[in-house]
Amino acid sequence: MGKWKALAVLGTAQFLMVLDTAVMNVSISRLVEDFHTTVTAIQTVIALYALVMAAFMITGGKLGDLLGRRRAFGLGLVVYGVGSAITAAAPVLWVLALGWSVIEGLGAAIVLPALAALVAGSYRGRDRALAYGVIGGLSGVGIAVGPLLGGWVTTYLTWRLVFVGEVVVVVVILALLRWIEVPPEAARRVRLDVVGAVLCAVGLAGIVLGILQSSSWGWLRPKESPFTVFGFSATLFVVAAGGVVLSLFVSWERRRESRGADPLVRLELFRVPTLRAGLFMLLIQSTVLLGLFFVIPLYLQVVQEFSAFQTGLRLLPVSATMLVAAMSGSALARVASPRTVVRCGLLVMLGAVVWLLATVKPVIDDLSFAVAMALLGLGMGLLASQLGNVVQSSVGEKARSEAGGLQNTAQQFGSALGTALIGAILIAALAGALNKQIEADPRISQAVRQQVGVALEAGVQFVPTDQVSTALKQAQVPPDQAQHLVDAYAAAQLNGLKAAILAAGGITLCGFGFTRHLPARRLTAEKDVPSKQG
């Protein structure tokens, strides 16, 4: 039991890091009500949390080299606890964003790279595979139990208590830090690349911000765009600017390396095929998972009008199958290569997407929905059982913190991208489907069509149909035509949800192209994966 005490502490921290994301997703409707805001605003808060982590994760990994991994782990927990306390007491939306999205995000950006490196440094061979399976499984439990726990607390008490509980858990983990035995680390003076950190953060932020605001700004045709370029919306230009800044980041890192200075991340790591493949797969996994975990609660809460607790119950099958699959990493390593396991996971995820598309109906079939959720958890768990070990095993001991930073950057950038991209596709598909149905319905007069068209130009929100009915009544739309519009909106909601789920399936399909360089042999040896293995 002694050697697993460290894993108990690290696993608890991993569970904590993902718990409140799941809580936020299942509490969307209550947050909209409590802060008198919109689904899009809460989407922004959720995406900002992941974006802050993605933007500063590499910097957080470098802090592990500067301070020592256990010390950085403790520092990050303190920051995270402060953010949780602010979130619990947030009186308005911007304070919620400050406490949760920014401060908690920064804390997690320090904790997670150190956590990944501490797991890799504490275990070897099959023990390491098992440890990463446990970590991946606990991530799955956090993502899936979060809706159940958060749903119950949100429905019967208040979501704020979850964050009060997080503060308590942080204090307990800090008290048990001595359980983590850190091997002696070679002393080395490391200077933080501040310019690189800023360029990396700004570049990633630009890409996610552009995608996130696309539903409000418009992709090409400007809606509420803050500026236009040759008559086009700001969206693509903001995304492109983010890409340019990232290219400047790469150039800056090369320049520092050529001068013998410490870069934020050594670009030579990206020349390791196994590491590169593992990072791309983590990006895809998080994009799909967090995209679906933004969309599915909307289907359950807004369309089906379930409470947060009822929503959590229906997401529970993800927890069971993801935990079992993720913790089977050690056993799977004896019979199959990571490449084989990951490809099987992708196939199962595609099956889950197809099943989900069939279950998105006006009246939910609970059994069919549960099967879809179980398949989703199984596929995600198979990926989680392999990818952490693949990434960390593809580099030497000295690069553990950097690999941990890159690993979590890929995951959190994928989370931000998934929430932003899948959410934007949902809103765009909703608006497009609603517009087509209104244009094709002869029972709706031209005057009402023009009135609705003006509203669609300003932007459409994903809201319950009774809110749509109330808004139409306030706009003095004739009752018979108002009912047709409500029916059209309800049908458009389902079309938007299916488009978003289908997009997640397309991203999953793209994942097969990145599996070629995953290890084709079983990872059961004590030594690391050869960096040139295809």
Side-chain angles (χ1 to χ4, degrees):
M1 174 61 188
K3 70 176 181 179
W4 300 113
K5 289 167 68 175
L7 185 61
V9 176
L10 296 169
T12 302
Q14 179 69 40
F15 175 82
L16 190 65
M17 294 296 107
V18 299
L19 174 67
D20 55 5
T21 301
V23 171
M24 281 293 182
N25 282 329
V26 81
S27 303
I28 291 173
S29 295
R30 180 61 61 86
L31 291 167
V32 168
E33 180 181 334
D34 286 356
F35 291 103
H36 308 289
T37 186
T38 64
V39 168
T40 303
I42 300 302
Q43 176 195 7
T44 301
V45 171
I46 293 172
L48 180 60
Y49 174 68
L51 177 58
V52 168
M53 281 196 280
F56 293 99
M57 197 69 73
I58 297 175
T59 305
K62 191 63 68 174
L63 285 176
D65 293 330
L66 283 166
L67 305 175
R69 292 164 186 170
R70 187 169 64 180
R71 192 173 298 160
F73 180 70
L75 173 64
L77 284 171
V78 171
V79 176
Y80 190 88
V82 171
S84 296
I86 293 173
T87 303
V92 292
L93 187 63
W94 73 265
V95 177
L96 176 75
L98 174 65
W100 190 67
S101 304
V102 178
I103 299 178
E104 279 196 53
L106 287 172
I110 301 172
V111 168
L112 289 171
L115 189 154
L118 286 168
V119 172
S122 301
Y123 302 99
R124 293 288 185 274
R126 291 181 180 177
D127 284 350
R128 180 187 289 168
L130 177 59
Y132 273 111
V134 171
I135 293 295
L138 288 171
S139 295
V141 171
I143 289 172
V145 171
L148 185 62
L149 174 62
W152 186 87
V153 174
T154 298
T155 301
Y156 299 108
L157 300 169
T158 170
W159 54 269
R160 298 176 188 274
L161 286 179
V162 175
F163 296 94
V164 173
E166 287 189 352
V167 176
V168 176
V169 175
V170 164
V171 172
V172 173
I173 295 175
L174 289 172
L176 299 177
L177 276 184
R178 64 183 183 278
W179 284 8
I180 304 174
E181 297 181 4
V182 183
E185 300 177 37
R188 187 170 77 89
R189 291 182 61 84
V190 179
R191 294 179 64 88
L192 182 62
D193 177 12
V194 177
V195 174
V198 171
L199 289 174
C200 180
V202 172
L204 292 175
I207 293 173
V208 175
L209 176 65
I211 295 173
L212 183 65
Q213 294 298 114
S214 62
S215 57
S216 300
W217 295 352
W219 280 102
L220 292 175
R221 190 176 175 184
K223 294 181 181 178
E224 298 178 5
S225 183
F227 62 89
T228 59
V229 180
F230 303 116
F232 294 104
S233 169
T235 298
L236 294 181
F237 296 95
V238 171
V239 172
V244 170
V245 174
L246 284 182
S247 68
L248 292 175
F249 165 70
V250 172
S251 299
W252 173 260
E253 296 301 287
R254 285 176 178 158
R255 180 182 177 186
R256 283 185 66 87
E257 285 186 291
S258 67
R259 292 183 173 184
D262 289 313
L264 187 66
V265 58
R266 288 180 294 139
L267 298 177
E268 65 185 42
L269 290 175
F270 292 102
R271 292 198 288 270
V272 179
T274 305
L275 175 64
R276 194 168 61 242
L279 293 175
F280 274 118
M281 288 310 306
L282 285 167
L283 174 69
I284 287 171
Q285 179 195 27
S286 296
T287 300
V288 173
L289 182 60
L290 269 296
L292 289 177
F293 264 71
F294 177 76
V295 168
I296 292 171
L298 287 179
Y299 169 62
L300 295 174
Q301 291 188 324
V302 176
V303 177
Q304 299 298 333
E305 298 184 350
F306 292 140
S307 69
F309 181 57
Q310 291 171 319
T311 298
L313 282 174
R314 283 166 175 79
L315 295 176
L316 191 58
V318 177
S319 176
T321 55
M322 189 169 185
L323 177 62
V324 171
M327 293 187 68
S328 67
S330 180
L332 290 171
R334 300 190 188 103
V335 297
S337 69
R339 183 190 297 176
T340 300
V341 176
V342 169
R343 285 177 174 174
C344 288
L346 290 172
L347 283 173
V348 174
M349 286 166 60
L350 282 175
V353 166
V354 172
W355 205 298
L356 260 177
L357 288 171
T359 62
V360 175
K361 299 176 180 178
V363 179
I364 191 172
D365 181 336
D366 281 327
L367 178 60
S368 183
F369 185 81
V371 172
M373 291 294 94
L375 284 175
L376 179 62
L378 177 61
M380 288 291 175
L382 289 174
L383 267 64
S385 74
Q386 305 298 311
L387 295 178
N389 191 26
V390 165
V391 168
Q392 285 291 327
S393 298
S394 65
V395 299
E397 178 63 31
K398 291 182 179 179
R400 296 285 189 222
S401 291
E402 282 183 283
L406 291 173
Q407 174 182 337
N408 286 287
T409 297
Q411 288 177 303
Q412 299 308 324
F413 183 60
S415 298
L417 195 61
T419 304
L421 180 60
I422 303 300
I425 290 172
L426 168 66
I427 297 299
L430 169 64
L434 180 58
N435 189 53
K436 285 184 179 179
Q437 293 198 48
I438 291 173
E439 289 296 325
D441 192 338
R443 297 170 297 181
I444 299 174
S445 68
Q446 187 62 33
V448 172
R449 288 179 187 174
Q450 289 177 350
Q451 188 177 358
V452 173
V454 171
L456 287 176
E457 283 293 322
V460 62
Q461 297 293 332
F462 200 95
V463 297
T465 52
D466 58 352
Q467 289 189 26
V468 176
S469 180
T470 300
L472 291 172
K473 185 180 295 184
Q474 292 174 348
Q476 297 182 340
V477 174
D480 57 333
Q481 296 191 50
Q483 185 56 51
H484 297 320
L485 288 172
V486 170
D487 293 341
Y489 182 82
Q493 279 184 321
L494 297 180
N495 288 334
L497 288 163
K498 289 180 178 180
I501 294 170
L502 191 61
I507 296 170
T508 302
L509 192 60
C510 291
F512 285 96
F514 296 104
T515 61
R516 185 167 61 93
H517 290 298
L518 292 176
R521 66 172 178 78
R522 289 170 289 171
L523 301 183
T524 56
E526 293 288 327
K527 61 185 179 180
D528 291 334
V529 180
S531 62
K532 296 297 182 184
Q533 182 174 345

